[in-house]
Amino acid sequence: MINRERVESLAFQRARERVVLALDVDSLEAALALTDRVAPYVGIVKVGLELYLSEGRQAVSALRARRVEVFLDLKLH
C-alpha cells in the first residue's frame, strides 16, 4: 500500500529523482505494467534497444502519456 503522505514529501521526491527503472523487456504491455507498478518510486524510466525495436516510438509515447520521464538508450554505434 502506498503511503501518500510519504510519497508526496520533499525528501522522498528528491530521492525519487535519482532512481531509474531499466525497462529491459520486449513488449509494451510488460513495460507499462512494470511502470505502473513502480511509478511512484522512480523518477525516470529507461527504454532500451530491445523495447524500442519491438514497439518503436509508440513505447516512448505511451510512457510519456503516463507522465514519467523517459531516457532513450539505443546504443546504435
Side-chain angles (χ1 to χ4, degrees), residues 56-67:
R57 187 165 169 75
Q58 178 185 356
V60 176
S61 297
L63 290 163
R64 294 290 296 146
R66 282 178 161 68
R67 300 190 184 275

Side-chain angles (χ1 to χ4, degrees), residues 3 7 9-10 16 18 21 25-26 28-29 32 35 40 42-43 45 48 52-54 57 63 71 75-76:
N3 180 335
V7 170
S9 74
L10 184 58
R16 180 180 176 265
R18 302 163 104 176
L21 170 65
V25 296
D26 63 357
L28 182 55
E29 181 180 313
L32 294 177
T35 300
V42 300
V45 295
Y52 194 80
L53 287 178
S54 68
R57 187 165 169 75
L63 290 163
F71 168 53
K75 292 185 188 107
L76 294 173

Side-chain angles (χ1 to χ4, degrees), residues 18-53:
R18 302 163 104 176
V19 179
V20 179
L21 170 65
L23 293 173
D24 293 328
V25 296
D26 63 357
S27 75
L28 182 55
E29 181 180 313
L32 294 177
L34 185 56
T35 300
D36 289 344
R37 216 165 61 217
V38 300
Y41 309 105
V42 300
I44 301 170
V45 295
K46 180 192 76 95
V47 173
L49 187 59
E50 182 179 13
L51 178 58
Y52 194 80
L53 287 178

